[in-house]
Amino acid sequence: MEQDTQLTLWRKVELRLYDEIAVGKHAAGERLPAETELAEQYGVNRHTLRKAMKSLADKGVIVIKRGHGMFVAEQAITYPVSRLTQFGKNMQSRNVACQIDILSSALIAADAEIAGYLDLPAGQPVYELDVLSTVDGCTLDLSTIYFPAERFIGFPDVYRQTKSVTRSLAHFGVADFSRRLTRVAARIPDADLARRMNLPRNQAVLHVQSVNVDAAGVPVQYGIARFVGNRLELLFESEIPAVVE
């Protein structure tokens, strides 16, 4: 590969492979050739190649699976947001196997913002859960969700068993709920969030606030989801008013 005075060699490799993926030479989900083969193909050493591949992985263009190889990333998951939005059903309807991991849970006193979204007096006890969702080993979102503690006593234990908000709420007698509010903003993660989501600092995340209510219109859940922007697209259906910042 010829040197380019305007680009470092690894960057040139990155752009060439990106172009090949963009024009369909490598299909979504396809396993790429091994490092040694790619390095020989582009006329670079493995160190240079690895730097290019890491940059592509950080951008979500490829997925590196230790012990399995490098793969072209699947297309962004379309996530419909409607009055009846439910994360698990959305993933199942798209044949996406999503792993849910509860990172932490705590009983806290709701501050004015959280209490306002849940229609509670400030200081009321709520459960706060941090939940990580991954697809094919890659982070899809990191969410912080809140539930009124007095209404849902022991909610974290139930959620650990079900790994589903829908099934957990049903356990407490909430057979049906709907979306009252969805607010979306694109934000650059701070250092801590980027570390927890394994993202470069310059990659934007979709910051999604939501409130779900029961059949009587009483809030049962307030959440803040941070989605990796290039791995998911939000599709707003016309039946709900969405507030987009």
Side-chain angles (χ1 to χ4, degrees):
M1 181 177 292
E2 297 179 359
Q3 292 284 353
D4 189 313
T5 57
Q6 301 300 315
L7 295 173
T8 59
L9 193 54
W10 71 264
R11 175 65 171 155
K12 197 171 182 180
V13 172
E14 176 191 12
L15 292 175
R16 180 171 167 183
L17 184 53
Y18 182 91
D19 287 342
E20 290 177 357
I21 292 172
V23 299
K25 182 176 179 180
H26 304 288
E30 176 185 332
R31 181 175 180 174
L32 295 170
E35 274 188 359
T36 51
E37 185 177 342
L38 283 176
E40 182 178 350
Q41 178 181 332
Y42 297 132
V44 298
N45 60 41
R46 293 176 67 180
H47 175 75
T48 298
L49 180 76
R50 285 174 182 169
K51 195 167 184 179
M53 302 310 277
K54 182 181 184 304
S55 181
L56 287 170
D58 288 342
K59 293 179 173 68
V61 177
I62 68 169
V63 177
I64 300 174
K65 301 181 182 179
R66 295 189 182 279
H68 297 281
M70 301 175 290
F71 299 79
V72 178
E74 300 285 352
Q75 294 182 345
I77 299 169
T78 299
Y79 185 89
V81 179
S82 69
R83 187 179 62 85
L84 301 176
T85 294
Q86 296 180 12
F87 181 81
K89 288 185 177 181
N90 269 343
M91 294 297 103
Q92 289 176 10
S93 68
R94 279 149 186 78
N95 296 316
V96 175
C98 187
Q99 179 176 330
I100 306 295
D101 293 303
I102 302 171
L103 304 181
S104 65
S105 65
L107 181 65
I108 67 170
D111 62 20
E113 180 180 12
I114 296 169
Y117 282 115
L118 291 174
D119 290 352
L120 297 173
Q124 284 289 101
V126 296
Y127 291 116
E128 177 187 69
L129 287 78
D130 276 341
V131 180
L132 180 70
S133 303
T134 57
V135 174
D136 292 331
C138 295
T139 299
L140 179 63
D141 82 281
L142 177 63
S143 296
T144 305
I145 47 181
Y146 301 90
F147 302 88
E150 292 184 356
R151 182 173 182 181
F152 304 123
I153 297 173
F155 187 93
D157 293 332
V158 175
Y159 186 75
R160 284 190 181 91
Q161 295 176 12
T162 65
K163 299 293 182 71
S164 164
V165 169
T166 301
R167 291 194 294 271
S168 297
L169 290 175
H171 172 87
F172 291 97
V174 181
D176 187 27
F177 62 90
S178 59
R179 182 64 59 90
R180 184 169 80 179
L181 169 73
T182 302
R183 177 180 285 115
V184 182
R187 297 184 180 178
I188 297 297
D190 60 23
D192 180 62
L193 182 59
R195 176 186 58 79
R196 297 175 70 194
M197 297 184 70
N198 194 28
L199 295 175
R201 283 291 307 277
N202 62 350
Q203 182 167 342
V205 299
L206 293 177
H207 186 275
V208 182
Q209 292 177 283
S210 61
V211 176
N212 288 326
V213 298
D214 64 16
V218 178
V220 295
Q221 175 193 4
Y222 165 58
I224 304 170
R226 304 126 181 133
F227 290 100
V228 179
N230 61 348
R231 295 176 190 160
L232 180 136
E233 61 179 17
L234 299 175
L235 174 64
F236 290 95
E237 298 180 352
S238 60
E239 65 186 66
I240 62 168
V243 180
V244 181
E245 296 177 349

